[in-house]
């Protein structure tokens, strides 16, 4: 019986590469964004509020990242039956808003990225640009 498993984790170099790619994509789209990257346990590894991004979007971006890391799927995949109650039940740590994506490489979930301040489609696009920068699976 195995009592341990090998894990992968995102390095600070990976976090910086993701932030740079997200900033570049948001700048290209003309939509300043809040970007939060968390590890598999939901702890923040990096975050940035671009100049001009909505300051409260930093909270939603963090919730999106934590949601994606927790459910290992896009934050928008929260089931309809619990969408309304999930923020209250988790003290704002989870959300069903689009823009949170899991960070998966070779079948391993390393964490999540959350992006907020644009439309849901813009947020997902920026998050996917960050995933692509490190060779992670796109959602």
């Amino acid at each position: 019986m195995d009592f341990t498993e090998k894990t992968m984790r995102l390095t600070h170099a990976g976090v910086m590469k993701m932030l740079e790619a997200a900033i570049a994509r948001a700048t290209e789209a003309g939509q300043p964004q809040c970007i939060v990257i968390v590890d598999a346990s939901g702890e923040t590894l990096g975050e940035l509020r671009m100049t001009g991004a909505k300051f409260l979007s930093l909270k939603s971006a963090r919730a999106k990242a934590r949601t994606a890391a927790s459910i290992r799927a896009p934050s928008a995949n929260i089931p309809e039956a619990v969408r309304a109650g999930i923020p209250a039940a988790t003290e704002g740590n989870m959300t069903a808003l689009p823009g949170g994506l899991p960070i998966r490489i070779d079948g391993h979930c390393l964490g999540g990225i959350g992006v907020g301040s644009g439309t849901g489609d813009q947020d997902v696009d920026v998050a996917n640009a960050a995933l692509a920068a490190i060779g992670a699976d796109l959602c």
Side-chain angles (χ1 to χ4, degrees):
M1 178 177 275
D2 289 329
F3 295 104
T4 63
E5 62 182 25
K6 292 185 180 195
T7 61
M8 293 176 63
R9 64 181 169 175
L10 191 59
T11 66
H12 68 275
V15 171
M16 292 302 296
K17 184 103 171 154
M18 290 179 74
L19 287 171
E20 290 168 357
I23 292 165
R25 181 66 190 112
T27 300
E28 180 184 311
Q31 176 58 59
Q33 295 279 21
C34 293
I35 306 146
V36 177
I37 299 167
V38 300
D39 67 14
S41 66
E43 287 298 316
T44 302
L45 298 176
E47 70 179 33
L48 175 81
R49 180 172 68 94
M50 293 175 65
T51 304
K54 302 169 193 158
F55 69 89
L56 286 178
S57 292
L58 194 54
K59 285 185 164 215
S60 66
R62 187 175 301 109
K64 292 175 187 185
R66 286 181 170 164
T67 301
S70 179
I71 68 171
R72 293 171 168 27
S75 55
N77 285 15
I78 291 289
E80 192 64 41
V82 296
R83 281 179 177 261
I86 200 85
T90 63
E91 298 179 350
N93 285 303
M94 291 183 74
T95 182
L97 294 171
L101 302 178
I103 304 168
R104 281 192 303 254
I105 297 178
D106 296 331
H108 300 277
C109 185
L110 309 179
I113 180 169
V115 179
S117 210
T119 66
D121 288 342
Q122 288 172 323
D123 297 351
V124 170
D125 181 52
V126 169
N128 268 317
L131 294 177
I134 61 164
D137 298 339
L138 302 183
C139 295

